[in-house]
Amino acid sequence: MPPDPEHAPQKVLILGGTAEARLLAERLIAEGHLVTTSLAGRTNDPILPAGAVRIGGFGGAEGLAVYLRAGGFDRMIDATHPFARRISENAIKAAAISGVPLEQRQRPRWQKQPGDRWRSVATLEAAAEALPSGATVFLALGRQYLDAFVGRDDCRFVVRMVDAPEMPLAFADYTLVLGKPASDPDREADLFTAYGVTHLVCRNSGGPAGYAKILAARRLALPVVMLERD
Ligand code: NAP
C-alpha cells in the first residue's frame, strides 16, 4: 500500500524559544517527524527542546528562506513568543520566498478576571506614564523593553532578568532579581511582598508560563499595567 501522505514523516522547522514550542517538538517527534527547533540565542542557558536545535539569527527573511531550502524542510511552524514580532514577519516573507508552508501558532491573550486591577496600555511609553510617583514597580519585561522607564526617577524599580546584564541598568533606583519567573503564584506573591512592590508592569503574553505573576498580583490586589499586543 502507498504511504498515506497525511502521515508521512516530514522535516519540520519550528521557530521556538517558548514552552509551547518545546511541547510541539516533543509531539511531532513522537509522531515520527524530523524536527529542528531554531532559537534566537538570547539566553545563556536555554532549556533545549527534543530533536535537533540550531541557535542564532538567520540574517533576515532571505537568510531564513535559504536555510529552509538548503535543509529541505517540508514545513515551518512559528511558535515564537507573541511579542517577538520581527521573526514572525520574517517567517511570513521566508515562506513566500521559499515556497515552504508556514503554520502560525499564536497563544490566546490573557483575559481580565474578577479581582484583576489592570490598566491596559498600547505602548511602553504609556506604561511608563501610567505609574504614580513614588511607586515601587516590578518590571516583568525583557531587557529590550526597559528604556521607556528610565526617565521615571521618581519611582523605584525591581527588574527581573534571566541573565545578568553586561552593564549596570540606567535606572536611578533599582534592584535586580536574577532568574526565571516562578510557576507558583505563592512564590511570585512572596517576591512582590519581599520587595515592597506596589505596581506590576508586564506584557499580555498569554499562556500558562507567565501567569503566576498575574495570579499573585490579583491575590495581593496590586495594580497591573498591562502592555497589550496589537
Ligand atoms: P524578534 O524581535 O522577533 O527577532 C529579532 C531577530 O532575532 C530576528 O530578526 C531574528 O534574526 C532573530 N530571531 C528571533 N527569534 C528567532 C528564532 N526563534 N530563531 C532564530 N532567530 C531568531 O525576537 P525577540 O522578541 O528578540 O525574541 C527572540 C526569541 O526569544 C524568540 O525566538 C522568542 O520566541 C523568544 N522569546 C521572546 C520573548 C519576548 O519577550 N520577546 C519571550 C520569551 C521568549 P535574523 O533576522 O537574523 O534571522
PDB file of all heavy atoms in Angstrom, residues 65-89:
ATOM      1  N   ALA A  65      14.864  31.905   4.338  1.00  0.00           N
ATOM      2  CA  ALA A  65      14.415  31.194   3.125  1.00  0.00           C
ATOM      3  C   ALA A  65      15.530  30.280   2.606  1.00  0.00           C
ATOM      4  O   ALA A  65      15.280  29.123   2.233  1.00  0.00           O
ATOM      5  CB  ALA A  65      14.007  32.203   2.053  1.00  0.00           C
ATOM      6  N   VAL A  66      16.753  30.782   2.618  1.00  0.00           N
ATOM      7  CA  VAL A  66      17.900  29.978   2.159  1.00  0.00           C
ATOM      8  C   VAL A  66      18.043  28.750   3.058  1.00  0.00           C
ATOM      9  O   VAL A  66      18.236  27.622   2.586  1.00  0.00           O
ATOM     10  CB  VAL A  66      19.203  30.832   2.170  1.00  0.00           C
ATOM     11  CG1 VAL A  66      20.437  29.955   1.990  1.00  0.00           C
ATOM     12  CG2 VAL A  66      19.139  31.904   1.097  1.00  0.00           C
ATOM     13  N   TYR A  67      17.918  28.974   4.380  1.00  0.00           N
ATOM     14  CA  TYR A  67      18.053  27.865   5.347  1.00  0.00           C
ATOM     15  C   TYR A  67      16.973  26.800   5.097  1.00  0.00           C
ATOM     16  O   TYR A  67      17.257  25.598   5.123  1.00  0.00           O
ATOM     17  CB  TYR A  67      17.959  28.425   6.773  1.00  0.00           C
ATOM     18  CG  TYR A  67      18.073  27.365   7.834  1.00  0.00           C
ATOM     19  CD1 TYR A  67      19.325  26.941   8.279  1.00  0.00           C
ATOM     20  CD2 TYR A  67      16.945  26.766   8.373  1.00  0.00           C
ATOM     21  CE1 TYR A  67      19.438  25.937   9.243  1.00  0.00           C
ATOM     22  CE2 TYR A  67      17.048  25.767   9.331  1.00  0.00           C
ATOM     23  CZ  TYR A  67      18.295  25.372   9.761  1.00  0.00           C
ATOM     24  OH  TYR A  67      18.399  24.373  10.714  1.00  0.00           O
ATOM     25  N   LEU A  68      15.753  27.256   4.846  1.00  0.00           N
ATOM     26  CA  LEU A  68      14.629  26.313   4.629  1.00  0.00           C
ATOM     27  C   LEU A  68      14.876  25.459   3.391  1.00  0.00           C
ATOM     28  O   LEU A  68      14.679  24.246   3.409  1.00  0.00           O
ATOM     29  CB  LEU A  68      13.322  27.099   4.457  1.00  0.00           C
ATOM     30  CG  LEU A  68      12.727  27.705   5.719  1.00  0.00           C
ATOM     31  CD1 LEU A  68      11.694  28.774   5.376  1.00  0.00           C
ATOM     32  CD2 LEU A  68      12.093  26.610   6.592  1.00  0.00           C
ATOM     33  N   ARG A  69      15.318  26.124   2.332  1.00  0.00           N
ATOM     34  CA  ARG A  69      15.544  25.393   1.075  1.00  0.00           C
ATOM     35  C   ARG A  69      16.718  24.447   1.209  1.00  0.00           C
ATOM     36  O   ARG A  69      16.634  23.278   0.828  1.00  0.00           O
ATOM     37  CB  ARG A  69      15.832  26.396  -0.051  1.00  0.00           C
ATOM     38  CG  ARG A  69      14.583  26.987  -0.639  1.00  0.00           C
ATOM     39  CD  ARG A  69      14.819  27.273  -2.139  1.00  0.00           C
ATOM     40  NE  ARG A  69      13.801  28.182  -2.636  1.00  0.00           N
ATOM     41  CZ  ARG A  69      14.043  29.444  -2.978  1.00  0.00           C
ATOM     42  NH1 ARG A  69      15.252  29.960  -2.877  1.00  0.00           N
ATOM     43  NH2 ARG A  69      13.062  30.198  -3.434  1.00  0.00           N
ATOM     44  N   ALA A  70      17.814  24.962   1.775  1.00  0.00           N
ATOM     45  CA  ALA A  70      19.038  24.139   1.879  1.00  0.00           C
ATOM     46  C   ALA A  70      18.773  22.916   2.760  1.00  0.00           C
ATOM     47  O   ALA A  70      19.321  21.834   2.514  1.00  0.00           O
ATOM     48  CB  ALA A  70      20.182  24.982   2.454  1.00  0.00           C
ATOM     49  N   GLY A  71      17.937  23.102   3.787  1.00  0.00           N
ATOM     50  CA  GLY A  71      17.672  21.997   4.709  1.00  0.00           C
ATOM     51  C   GLY A  71      16.592  21.049   4.201  1.00  0.00           C
ATOM     52  O   GLY A  71      16.324  20.027   4.836  1.00  0.00           O
ATOM     53  N   GLY A  72      15.956  21.380   3.099  1.00  0.00           N
ATOM     54  CA  GLY A  72      14.906  20.512   2.539  1.00  0.00           C
ATOM     55  C   GLY A  72      13.706  20.378   3.469  1.00  0.00           C
ATOM     56  O   GLY A  72      13.117  19.291   3.571  1.00  0.00           O
ATOM     57  N   PHE A  73      13.331  21.460   4.141  1.00  0.00           N
ATOM     58  CA  PHE A  73      12.199  21.393   5.083  1.00  0.00           C
ATOM     59  C   PHE A  73      10.870  21.315   4.332  1.00  0.00           C
ATOM     60  O   PHE A  73      10.694  21.952   3.291  1.00  0.00           O
ATOM     61  CB  PHE A  73      12.205  22.607   6.020  1.00  0.00           C
ATOM     62  CG  PHE A  73      13.291  22.522   7.062  1.00  0.00           C
ATOM     63  CD1 PHE A  73      14.518  23.160   6.856  1.00  0.00           C
ATOM     64  CD2 PHE A  73      13.110  21.780   8.209  1.00  0.00           C
ATOM     65  CE1 PHE A  73      15.530  23.057   7.806  1.00  0.00           C
ATOM     66  CE2 PHE A  73      14.117  21.680   9.161  1.00  0.00           C
ATOM     67  CZ  PHE A  73      15.329  22.317   8.957  1.00  0.00           C
ATOM     68  N   ASP A  74       9.946  20.518   4.867  1.00  0.00           N
ATOM     69  CA  ASP A  74       8.609  20.391   4.279  1.00  0.00           C
ATOM     70  C   ASP A  74       7.671  21.453   4.820  1.00  0.00           C
ATOM     71  O   ASP A  74       6.712  21.843   4.163  1.00  0.00           O
ATOM     72  CB  ASP A  74       8.010  19.015   4.609  1.00  0.00           C
ATOM     73  CG  ASP A  74       8.863  17.904   4.050  1.00  0.00           C
ATOM     74  OD1 ASP A  74       9.041  17.874   2.826  1.00  0.00           O
ATOM     75  OD2 ASP A  74       9.381  17.084   4.848  1.00  0.00           O
ATOM     76  N   ARG A  75       7.907  21.871   6.077  1.00  0.00           N
ATOM     77  CA  ARG A  75       7.065  22.929   6.635  1.00  0.00           C
ATOM     78  C   ARG A  75       7.770  23.634   7.782  1.00  0.00           C
ATOM     79  O   ARG A  75       8.727  23.111   8.358  1.00  0.00           O
ATOM     80  CB  ARG A  75       5.684  22.435   7.044  1.00  0.00           C
ATOM     81  CG  ARG A  75       5.639  21.453   8.173  1.00  0.00           C
ATOM     82  CD  ARG A  75       4.162  21.067   8.410  1.00  0.00           C
ATOM     83  NE  ARG A  75       4.066  19.886   9.203  1.00  0.00           N
ATOM     84  CZ  ARG A  75       3.328  19.787  10.309  1.00  0.00           C
ATOM     85  NH1 ARG A  75       2.620  20.796  10.733  1.00  0.00           N
ATOM     86  NH2 ARG A  75       3.290  18.656  10.992  1.00  0.00           N
ATOM     87  N   MET A  76       7.258  24.815   8.074  1.00  0.00           N
ATOM     88  CA  MET A  76       7.820  25.634   9.157  1.00  0.00           C
ATOM     89  C   MET A  76       6.659  26.006  10.074  1.00  0.00           C
ATOM     90  O   MET A  76       5.553  26.294   9.598  1.00  0.00           O
ATOM     91  CB  MET A  76       8.442  26.879   8.528  1.00  0.00           C
ATOM     92  CG  MET A  76       8.652  28.037   9.450  1.00  0.00           C
ATOM     93  SD  MET A  76       9.664  29.367   8.745  1.00  0.00           S
ATOM     94  CE  MET A  76       8.727  29.909   7.333  1.00  0.00           C
ATOM     95  N   ILE A  77       6.924  25.980  11.390  1.00  0.00           N
ATOM     96  CA  ILE A  77       5.883  26.379  12.346  1.00  0.00           C
ATOM     97  C   ILE A  77       6.438  27.521  13.197  1.00  0.00           C
ATOM     98  O   ILE A  77       7.511  27.386  13.802  1.00  0.00           O
ATOM     99  CB  ILE A  77       5.475  25.197  13.252  1.00  0.00           C
ATOM    100  CG1 ILE A  77       5.002  24.010  12.399  1.00  0.00           C
ATOM    101  CG2 ILE A  77       4.374  25.629  14.221  1.00  0.00           C
ATOM    102  CD1 ILE A  77       4.658  22.767  13.191  1.00  0.00           C
ATOM    103  N   ASP A  78       5.727  28.613  13.208  1.00  0.00           N
ATOM    104  CA  ASP A  78       6.121  29.757  14.027  1.00  0.00           C
ATOM    105  C   ASP A  78       5.471  29.607  15.393  1.00  0.00           C
ATOM    106  O   ASP A  78       4.273  29.842  15.552  1.00  0.00           O
ATOM    107  CB  ASP A  78       5.683  31.061  13.355  1.00  0.00           C
ATOM    108  CG  ASP A  78       6.022  32.284  14.202  1.00  0.00           C
ATOM    109  OD1 ASP A  78       6.687  32.128  15.246  1.00  0.00           O
ATOM    110  OD2 ASP A  78       5.620  33.396  13.801  1.00  0.00           O
ATOM    111  N   ALA A  79       6.273  29.179  16.378  1.00  0.00           N
ATOM    112  CA  ALA A  79       5.773  29.038  17.757  1.00  0.00           C
ATOM    113  C   ALA A  79       6.558  29.980  18.669  1.00  0.00           C
ATOM    114  O   ALA A  79       6.812  29.673  19.827  1.00  0.00           O
ATOM    115  CB  ALA A  79       5.906  27.588  18.223  1.00  0.00           C
ATOM    116  N   THR A  80       6.953  31.129  18.126  1.00  0.00           N
ATOM    117  CA  THR A  80       7.719  32.090  18.917  1.00  0.00           C
ATOM    118  C   THR A  80       6.801  32.860  19.861  1.00  0.00           C
ATOM    119  O   THR A  80       5.566  32.785  19.760  1.00  0.00           O
ATOM    120  CB  THR A  80       8.469  33.094  18.005  1.00  0.00           C
ATOM    121  OG1 THR A  80       7.518  33.732  17.154  1.00  0.00           O
ATOM    122  CG2 THR A  80       9.532  32.402  17.167  1.00  0.00           C
ATOM    123  N   HIS A  81       7.424  33.613  20.746  1.00  0.00           N
ATOM    124  CA  HIS A  81       6.678  34.427  21.713  1.00  0.00           C
ATOM    125  C   HIS A  81       5.827  35.463  20.974  1.00  0.00           C
ATOM    126  O   HIS A  81       6.275  36.025  19.974  1.00  0.00           O
ATOM    127  CB  HIS A  81       7.695  35.116  22.633  1.00  0.00           C
ATOM    128  CG  HIS A  81       7.088  35.794  23.801  1.00  0.00           C
ATOM    129  ND1 HIS A  81       6.616  37.086  23.730  1.00  0.00           N
ATOM    130  CD2 HIS A  81       6.857  35.370  25.053  1.00  0.00           C
ATOM    131  CE1 HIS A  81       6.131  37.428  24.907  1.00  0.00           C
ATOM    132  NE2 HIS A  81       6.262  36.404  25.730  1.00  0.00           N
ATOM    133  N   PRO A  82       4.594  35.723  21.472  1.00  0.00           N
ATOM    134  CA  PRO A  82       3.725  36.645  20.738  1.00  0.00           C
ATOM    135  C   PRO A  82       4.294  38.055  20.593  1.00  0.00           C
ATOM    136  O   PRO A  82       3.878  38.797  19.706  1.00  0.00           O
ATOM    137  CB  PRO A  82       2.440  36.666  21.570  1.00  0.00           C
ATOM    138  CG  PRO A  82       2.726  35.925  22.821  1.00  0.00           C
ATOM    139  CD  PRO A  82       3.929  35.088  22.611  1.00  0.00           C
ATOM    140  N   PHE A  83       5.233  38.446  21.448  1.00  0.00           N
ATOM    141  CA  PHE A  83       5.820  39.783  21.303  1.00  0.00           C
ATOM    142  C   PHE A  83       7.094  39.754  20.452  1.00  0.00           C
ATOM    143  O   PHE A  83       7.718  40.797  20.265  1.00  0.00           O
ATOM    144  CB  PHE A  83       6.089  40.408  22.677  1.00  0.00           C
ATOM    145  CG  PHE A  83       4.859  41.039  23.272  1.00  0.00           C
ATOM    146  CD1 PHE A  83       3.913  40.263  23.924  1.00  0.00           C
ATOM    147  CD2 PHE A  83       4.631  42.401  23.158  1.00  0.00           C
ATOM    148  CE1 PHE A  83       2.767  40.834  24.460  1.00  0.00           C
ATOM    149  CE2 PHE A  83       3.489  42.984  23.691  1.00  0.00           C
ATOM    150  CZ  PHE A  83       2.553  42.202  24.348  1.00  0.00           C
ATOM    151  N   ALA A  84       7.477  38.600  19.965  1.00  0.00           N
ATOM    152  CA  ALA A  84       8.635  38.509  19.048  1.00  0.00           C
ATOM    153  C   ALA A  84       8.092  38.720  17.631  1.00  0.00           C
ATOM    154  O   ALA A  84       7.760  37.776  16.929  1.00  0.00           O
ATOM    155  CB  ALA A  84       9.321  37.150  19.192  1.00  0.00           C
ATOM    156  N   ARG A  85       7.989  39.988  17.236  1.00  0.00           N
ATOM    157  CA  ARG A  85       7.249  40.302  16.006  1.00  0.00           C
ATOM    158  C   ARG A  85       8.112  40.144  14.761  1.00  0.00           C
ATOM    159  O   ARG A  85       7.634  39.722  13.716  1.00  0.00           O
ATOM    160  CB  ARG A  85       6.749  41.744  16.067  1.00  0.00           C
ATOM    161  CG  ARG A  85       5.680  41.920  17.140  1.00  0.00           C
ATOM    162  CD  ARG A  85       4.765  43.075  16.778  1.00  0.00           C
ATOM    163  NE  ARG A  85       3.709  43.184  17.760  1.00  0.00           N
ATOM    164  CZ  ARG A  85       3.739  44.019  18.788  1.00  0.00           C
ATOM    165  NH1 ARG A  85       4.791  44.787  18.972  1.00  0.00           N
ATOM    166  NH2 ARG A  85       2.733  44.067  19.638  1.00  0.00           N
ATOM    167  N   ARG A  86       9.405  40.518  14.878  1.00  0.00           N
ATOM    168  CA  ARG A  86      10.229  40.559  13.667  1.00  0.00           C
ATOM    169  C   ARG A  86      10.396  39.168  13.071  1.00  0.00           C
ATOM    170  O   ARG A  86      10.248  38.977  11.872  1.00  0.00           O
ATOM    171  CB  ARG A  86      11.603  41.187  13.980  1.00  0.00           C
ATOM    172  CG  ARG A  86      12.390  41.469  12.745  1.00  0.00           C
ATOM    173  CD  ARG A  86      13.205  42.747  12.765  1.00  0.00           C
ATOM    174  NE  ARG A  86      13.662  43.181  14.055  1.00  0.00           N
ATOM    175  CZ  ARG A  86      14.947  43.182  14.429  1.00  0.00           C
ATOM    176  NH1 ARG A  86      15.872  42.711  13.638  1.00  0.00           N
ATOM    177  NH2 ARG A  86      15.295  43.662  15.599  1.00  0.00           N
ATOM    178  N   ILE A  87      10.663  38.190  13.942  1.00  0.00           N
ATOM    179  CA  ILE A  87      10.885  36.837  13.423  1.00  0.00           C
ATOM    180  C   ILE A  87       9.598  36.301  12.778  1.00  0.00           C
ATOM    181  O   ILE A  87       9.653  35.599  11.756  1.00  0.00           O
ATOM    182  CB  ILE A  87      11.427  35.876  14.530  1.00  0.00           C
ATOM    183  CG1 ILE A  87      11.829  34.529  13.944  1.00  0.00           C
ATOM    184  CG2 ILE A  87      10.461  35.709  15.683  1.00  0.00           C
ATOM    185  CD1 ILE A  87      13.029  34.529  13.065  1.00  0.00           C
ATOM    186  N   SER A  88       8.442  36.691  13.322  1.00  0.00           N
ATOM    187  CA  SER A  88       7.173  36.223  12.739  1.00  0.00           C
ATOM    188  C   SER A  88       6.940  36.862  11.367  1.00  0.00           C
ATOM    189  O   SER A  88       6.452  36.206  10.440  1.00  0.00           O
ATOM    190  CB  SER A  88       6.006  36.528  13.673  1.00  0.00           C
ATOM    191  OG  SER A  88       6.174  35.792  14.869  1.00  0.00           O
ATOM    192  N   GLU A  89       7.311  38.134  11.249  1.00  0.00           N
ATOM    193  CA  GLU A  89       7.205  38.797   9.933  1.00  0.00           C
ATOM    194  C   GLU A  89       8.166  38.131   8.945  1.00  0.00           C
ATOM    195  O   GLU A  89       7.825  37.873   7.789  1.00  0.00           O
ATOM    196  CB  GLU A  89       7.550  40.282  10.057  1.00  0.00           C
ATOM    197  CG  GLU A  89       6.452  41.098  10.708  1.00  0.00           C
ATOM    198  CD  GLU A  89       6.931  42.474  11.162  1.00  0.00           C
ATOM    199  OE1 GLU A  89       8.016  42.910  10.705  1.00  0.00           O
ATOM    200  OE2 GLU A  89       6.230  43.070  11.991  1.00  0.00           O
TER     201      GLU A  89
END
